[in-house]
Amino acid sequence: MSNFRQILSEMGEFGVFQKCLVAALCIPNFFTAFDMIGQVFIGMSFPHHCNTDWILERGPNLTEEKQINLTIPMKEGKYESCKMFMPVDWDLETIETYGINVTTGCTNGSDFEVPKGTSSIVTEFNLVCDRSNLIEASQSIYMAGLLLGALVLGQMADRFGRRFVILLSLFVVTVFGFSSGFSPNVYVYMALKFISGIASSGILLNGFVIAGEWTDASKFALCTIVCHVFFPIGLMVLSGVAYSIRNWRSLQIVLFSPLVLVVGIFYWLLPESARWLLTQGRKEEAIKEIRRAAKVNGRKVPEELLDKLEFEAVSKGGSILDIFRISYLRRRALIMSSAWFGTSLMYYGLSLNVGNFGLNIYLTQFIFGAVEIPARVGSLLFLQHFGRKIYQTAVLLFGGCTCLAILAIPKDLPVVVTIVAVVGKFASTASFQSVYVYSAELYPTALR
C-alpha cells in the first residue's frame, strides 16, 4: 500500500504545478481586499449641514453663505452639522432683523460639501446625524457574514470539496460585490455585503488549504503566507483605483467586474485536492489529478504506486465537540480564540479607521497596504527562527502597545499618529499571519 506522501515525492513536492497553483490562488485574495476594506472609501464622510432650502422661498437671491448664516446655528465658532433653525412663516426682513432662536434636527436631509462627481453611500443615503450609526452597522453586518462563512464554508469544503467552495465563493463575491453598486438603499446594500462577506471568508479560509494539500507539510506555512501576500497588494491597488474613481457606484462596479474572468479561468483550470478526493473514496479521480500534476512537473508516477494508493480515511472519532470534551484541546481553543479576538480587533480597528488619523486617506491606505507585505513575508522567517508561540505573543503584545500609544498622542500631531498606526498595522498583520499558521498546526487533522 502506498500513501499520498510517497506519491508526492514521486511527482514533485513543490514543482511547477504547485508553484502555479499557489500563484493562481493569490488572485482571489487580491480581490477579497476590495470586498473587506472597500467601505473605507465607499463609506467616506464629508462636511455637511442641514438642508435649509425652505428660506429660499422668502429670499430666492440669497447667497449660500447668507443662507447658512440665517438658518444654521453655531457652536464653538463652527456651524452645527445636525441642527438647523426651525422653519418659520416670517418674511426675509423679519428673519434678518430678529433671527430665529428655536432649533430642530435636519428635517429635509443634509447638504454635503463634496467635489464634483464624488459620492459615497453616506452622501447618497444620507447616513449622517441620527442615521450615522448605519455606517457602523453595515460594517458589523459584513463582519457577521465573515463569521458565518468561517463556520459554514469550512464544513462545506470538507463535504463537497475545496474546489467547489472556492468556485462558489468567487461566484458569489462577483455577483454580490458587483450588485451592491446598484443598491437602491442602505438596507439592500447591507444585505448584499453580508452575503459577500460569507463568500470572502470561504476564499480566505480555503484558498491556502487546497495549495497546502498539494504540497509537503513543510511547505504549508510558505503556501499560506504567499497566498495571503496578495491581499496587501490588493489594498494598495484599492487606494489608487479609489483615488481615480470618486463615485462609489462606479468604483464598486470597476473593482468587481474583473472577477468574471477569474471565475471563468478557475472553473476550467483549478484542480481539486487529491488528498480530499482520497478521503472521499474517489480514487480514480484522485489518480487523474495526480497524473495531471506530475505531467506539469515533468515527472511520472510509477503505475504500481498508483495502483496501491490507499484511501486517506478521515478519522471517525473526530468531532467538533472534542474541542470541549478533551481538556488540552479545550485549553488550546480558549487561548487561540483569545489570540484571534485580539488580532482581529487590532487589525480591523486600524484598517477601518484609516481616514481618522489626520493625513490623506488615499496615501495612508497605500502605506497601510505596503507595510503588510514585509509583515507577512517576514513572518515566515521569524516563525521558523523563534517558533510559533514566542512570535505570536511578541507581535500581539507589541501591536496592543502601539494601539494604546495612539490614544495618548494629541490629535494635532497627525503625522505622529499615522506613523504609530502604521507600526501597529505591521504588528497586527504579522499576528494575523502567525495565527493562521499556528491554529492550523495545533489541532488534529480530523478537527482542523
Side-chain angles (χ1 to χ4, degrees):
M1 300 291 283
S2 61
N3 58 37
F4 192 76
R5 286 187 178 181
Q6 292 174 290
I7 298 293
L8 202 58
S9 63
E10 291 293 334
M11 73 176 183
E13 295 176 349
F14 201 65
V16 174
F17 173 82
Q18 287 91 342
K19 291 173 183 175
C20 289
L21 178 61
V22 171
L25 290 168
C26 291
I27 299 173
N29 284 301
F30 176 85
F31 286 95
T32 55
F34 301 162
D35 195 50
M36 297 181 73
I37 309 297
Q39 188 162 307
V40 166
F41 300 107
I42 288 170
M44 283 180 65
S45 296
F46 297 91
H48 59 90
H49 57 77
C50 295
N51 181 306
T52 58
D53 288 348
W54 64 268
I55 200 172
L56 296 179
E57 297 176 4
R58 282 77 168 169
N61 296 321
L62 280 174
T63 63
E64 183 179 357
E65 181 180 359
K66 185 69 172 178
Q67 177 186 347
I68 293 175
N69 189 50
L70 290 173
T71 57
I72 304 294
M74 297 189 73
K75 184 178 181 180
E76 298 179 355
K78 296 181 179 180
Y79 288 109
E80 292 268 19
S81 297
C82 298
K83 289 185 179 180
M84 57 182 268
F85 290 122
M86 185 174 290
V88 293
D89 292 329
W90 305 346
D91 58 56
L92 183 61
E93 184 178 351
T94 303
I95 294 174
E96 290 179 323
T97 302
Y98 298 102
I100 307 171
N101 295 319
V102 181
T103 61
T104 184
C106 300
T107 56
N108 296 313
S110 299
D111 289 332
F112 295 86
E113 299 173 21
V114 296
K116 185 178 180 181
T118 300
S119 70
S120 70
I121 58 173
V122 174
T123 63
E124 188 161 331
F125 301 142
N126 196 37
L127 304 183
V128 293
C129 302
D130 58 343
R131 288 169 56 84
S132 61
N133 61 329
L134 291 176
I135 287 290
E136 288 78 14
S138 66
Q139 193 61 54
S140 296
I141 288 172
Y142 177 79
M143 291 296 172
L146 289 178
L147 175 61
L148 182 60
L151 295 173
V152 173
L153 294 181
Q155 298 293 322
M156 284 185 62
D158 288 338
R159 182 172 182 181
F160 301 107
R162 285 54 164 134
R163 181 179 185 273
F164 171 79
V165 170
I166 291 174
L167 289 176
L168 176 64
S169 299
L170 275 172
F171 178 76
V172 171
V173 169
T174 304
V175 172
F176 286 87
F178 185 88
S179 299
S180 62
F182 298 92
S183 302
N185 56 59
V186 68
Y187 302 105
V188 173
Y189 172 81
M190 287 192 289
L192 294 174
K193 288 294 290 181
F194 174 73
I195 298 173
S196 185
I198 295 174
S200 288
S201 190
I203 294 171
L204 288 172
L205 293 176
N206 290 291
F208 71 92
V209 170
I210 193 172
E213 290 181 345
W214 270 107
T215 60
D216 185 68
S218 62
K219 301 293 183 181
F220 182 80
L222 174 64
C223 292
T224 302
I225 290 171
V226 171
C227 285
H228 286 169
V229 160
F230 268 65
F231 186 90
I233 295 175
L235 295 179
M236 296 165 67
V237 172
L238 172 64
S239 64
V241 176
Y243 180 81
S244 303
I245 303 173
R246 304 296 180 93
N247 180 285
W248 79 272
R249 292 186 183 274
S250 299
L251 176 61
Q252 194 76 5
I253 292 168
V254 168
L255 289 176
F256 290 95
S257 294
L259 268 175
V260 175
L261 182 61
V262 175
V263 172
I265 294 174
F266 268 52
Y267 178 79
W268 291 108
L269 299 180
L270 184 66
E272 181 55 273
S273 166
R275 288 183 190 267
W276 178 81
L277 288 170
L278 288 174
T279 64
Q280 303 301 304
R282 293 157 65 174
K283 181 178 177 180
E284 293 303 319
E285 293 176 62
I287 291 175
K288 182 180 178 181
E289 295 289 357
I290 290 169
R291 284 173 174 159
R292 176 186 175 191
K295 183 178 180 181
V296 174
N297 285 342
R299 307 279 287 271
K300 185 175 176 62
V301 180
E303 289 298 320
E304 56 269 21
L305 276 181
L306 293 175
D307 292 338
K308 296 176 181 179
L309 184 61
E310 63 183 6
F311 297 152
E312 295 194 354
V314 178
S315 173
K316 299 297 182 182
S319 166
I320 191 66
L321 295 177
D322 288 346
I323 292 178
F324 305 99
R325 282 197 296 257
I326 303 174
S327 61
Y328 82 92
L329 288 178
R330 186 167 59 245
R331 185 169 58 252
R332 287 181 182 180
L334 179 61
I335 294 171
M336 293 311 298
S337 295
S338 300
W340 273 101
F341 177 80
T343 299
S344 300
L345 194 64
M346 279 195 302
Y347 183 85
Y348 291 112
L350 292 168
S351 298
L352 298 176
N353 284 284
V354 68
N356 298 328
F357 298 127
L359 295 184
N360 181 280
I361 186 173
Y362 301 98
L363 176 61
T364 307
Q365 176 59 45
F366 184 86
I367 295 172
F368 266 32
V371 77
E372 284 199 24
I373 297 177
R376 293 179 185 274
V377 174
S379 292
L380 180 62
L381 302 176
F382 288 120
L383 284 170
Q384 292 174 342
H385 185 73
F386 295 106
R388 277 55 167 161
K389 183 177 180 179
I390 294 176
Y391 183 66
Q392 183 70 65
T393 304
V395 291
L396 266 175
L397 181 62
F398 183 61
C401 290
T402 57
C403 290
L404 291 174
I406 292 174
L407 300 176
I409 301 172
K411 291 184 178 180
D412 57 353
L413 297 174
V415 175
V416 178
V417 172
T418 303
I419 290 174
V420 176
V422 168
V423 175
K425 185 67 182 299
F426 179 95
S428 64
T429 302
S431 182
F432 236 134
Q433 197 61 70
S434 173
V435 79
Y436 262 106
V437 176
Y438 200 9
S439 297
E441 294 175 344
L442 277 178
Y443 297 101
T445 303
L447 298 177
R448 194 176 300 160

